[in-house]
Amino acid sequence: MKIVESVPNFSEGRREEVVKEIISQAEGVKGVWILDWSMDIDHNRSVVTLVGSPEPLLDVLFKMTKKAAELIDLRNHRGEHPRMGATDVIPLVPVMGTNMPECVDLSKKLAKRIGEELKIPVYLYEKSATNPHRENLSEIRKGEFEGFFEKIKDPSWKPDFGPENVHPTAGVVAVGARESVIAFNVNLGTDKIEIAEKIAKAVRYISGGYRYVKAIAVDLKEKGIVQVSMNMTNYRKSPLYRVLETIRREAARYGVPVVGTEIIGMVPMQALIDTAQFYLQLDDFSPSRVIEGCVLEILAKEGAKLSE
């Protein structure tokens, strides 16, 4: 049994009917399961988590990308989250019976089809990147949709697949294989974006923070607060609890409390176990003592026997 996870991000978080139409491309497809989806009004962005067998999953991702291109016009899109495409990014993550090289091959196959059939420029990122300066998604996305019309003219930003012109309404898309990433946001009890910007700078790697943290400041106007929005690219080496405590201490310098946190999409169970172990000060604790974890392990073993 081969299972791959994908977490496509779409640049629409306000029109539920549009998001549901995109998600419907995966409904009822044999070998593909929708685990979770969410919308964010301030970010104006949706995140969908899917798992499935490689071939049907790739077909679903292509159809979702096609539908997003039909329904989303980036010329009319505004949101707090940086974006460059109607379908902004499509990561592929090895889960069961697969490995990173296989997911790299799958990402190239999907990218080629999107570029050729949908006429949308595609950039390979993370483990699939064809050039070191394209590994980091934020570097590819820099300039966003509006800036890409000029950026794409630079030979160093020639797309890996598809036309060398930005799609007029759907922009460009990044596709790549990567490890599990946790989208972890921390809300601050203030409306001063400059405070969130200082804290984001303190924790993100490129400005001297944690090695596996990408962070930006976001103004949540609907809620009257600001947020440190993060991608945790290796929760084992940069744990959620350690980053949260750093943000809490940094916020205290400005007399600002942490008023809540959120996880967008799915999260590995081990990340939550590590967090519980830290805050509960548990000694000698392991996943084998979590009932649901044991049940899932038994089911996985039984499934492997049946497939032999």
Side-chain angles (χ1 to χ4, degrees), residues 267-279:
V267 58
M269 181 171 63
Q270 187 61 53
L272 299 181
I273 290 174
D274 292 345
T275 301
Q277 187 171 2
F278 176 83
Y279 284 109

Side-chain angles (χ1 to χ4, degrees), residues 2-304:
K2 291 180 178 287
I3 296 293
V4 175
E5 176 192 21
S6 185
V7 192
N9 286 214
F10 302 99
S11 297
E12 179 55 66
R14 297 170 184 170
R15 297 179 295 166
E16 186 173 345
E17 69 278 8
V18 170
V19 177
K20 285 186 174 180
E21 184 68 19
I22 294 170
I23 294 172
S24 71
Q25 305 307 301
E27 294 173 350
V29 177
K30 186 177 181 179
V32 176
W33 297 270
I34 302 169
L35 299 185
D36 181 71
W37 67 275
S38 62
M39 297 171 52
D40 189 284
I41 294 175
D42 291 294
H43 287 231
N44 201 4
R45 192 175 184 86
S46 297
V47 178
V48 183
T49 304
L50 308 154
V51 294
S53 300
E55 292 306 319
L57 180 63
L58 289 193
D59 191 52
V60 162
L61 291 170
F62 173 82
K63 290 178 179 177
M64 294 175 87
T65 302
K66 181 180 180 181
K67 184 59 66 174
E70 294 170 358
L71 301 178
I72 299 172
D73 187 339
L74 284 184
R75 295 173 298 181
N76 304 318
H77 179 277
R78 297 293 181 273
E80 290 297 321
H81 200 291
R83 83 285 182 268
M84 60 185 182
T87 301
D88 197 58
V89 58
I90 305 175
L92 295 171
V93 183
V95 174
M96 183 186 297
T98 59
N99 54 39
M100 193 58 69
E102 286 181 274
C103 283
V104 169
D105 290 340
L106 292 170
S107 70
K108 292 178 180 178
K109 183 176 181 179
L110 176 61
K112 185 174 186 291
R113 187 181 179 192
I114 290 172
E116 291 180 352
E117 297 186 32
L118 301 183
K119 307 304 180 187
I120 298 174
V122 184
Y123 291 87
L124 296 171
Y125 81 110
E126 282 283 353
K127 304 296 184 182
S128 304
T130 54
N131 192 296
H133 77 278
R134 299 187 182 195
E135 291 179 12
N136 192 328
L137 179 60
S138 62
E139 284 299 311
I140 299 176
R141 195 187 279 140
K142 192 173 291 183
E144 299 191 48
F145 170 69
E146 291 78 7
F148 240 104
F149 290 88
E150 188 63 31
K151 182 176 180 177
I152 203 169
K153 297 176 184 178
D154 184 337
S156 67
W157 287 107
K158 178 182 177 181
D160 291 294
F161 294 98
E164 295 181 27
N165 297 302
V166 177
H167 190 288
T169 59
V172 304
V173 59
V175 178
R178 63 159 172 78
E179 301 289 353
S180 292
V181 169
I182 301 174
F184 181 50
N185 301 330
V186 178
N187 296 334
L188 306 175
T190 179
D191 60 359
K192 295 180 178 179
I193 191 65
E194 61 270 20
I195 292 178
E197 288 171 346
K198 290 177 181 178
I199 296 173
K201 183 178 180 181
V203 296
R204 67 172 171 249
Y205 176 64
I206 60 172
S207 52
Y210 289 96
R211 174 64 182 87
Y212 298 100
V213 175
K214 300 176 182 179
I216 61 172
V218 175
D219 189 354
L220 303 181
K221 292 183 175 63
E222 292 277 331
K223 299 177 181 177
I225 59 176
V226 295
Q227 178 185 83
V228 178
S229 179
M230 297 172 287
N231 273 348
M232 314 288 287
T233 60
N234 188 325
Y235 68 87
R236 293 181 176 88
K237 295 183 178 180
S238 295
L240 271 65
Y241 58 81
R242 187 164 296 138
V243 176
L244 174 58
E245 288 305 308
T246 299
I247 290 174
R248 204 188 303 277
R249 290 196 300 271
E250 289 289 327
R253 295 173 57 201
Y254 306 104
V256 171
V258 168
V259 295
T261 67
E262 61 181 4
I263 289 174
I264 306 299
M266 307 293 285
V267 58
M269 181 171 63
Q270 187 61 53
L272 299 181
I273 290 174
D274 292 345
T275 301
Q277 187 171 2
F278 176 83
Y279 284 109
L280 297 177
Q281 296 181 278
L282 298 173
D283 292 326
D284 191 29
F285 188 80
S286 69
S288 63
R289 294 167 66 184
V290 178
I291 295 173
E292 291 82 356
C294 289
V295 172
L296 289 173
E297 187 174 342
I298 292 169
L299 292 175
K301 288 179 179 178
E302 291 300 316

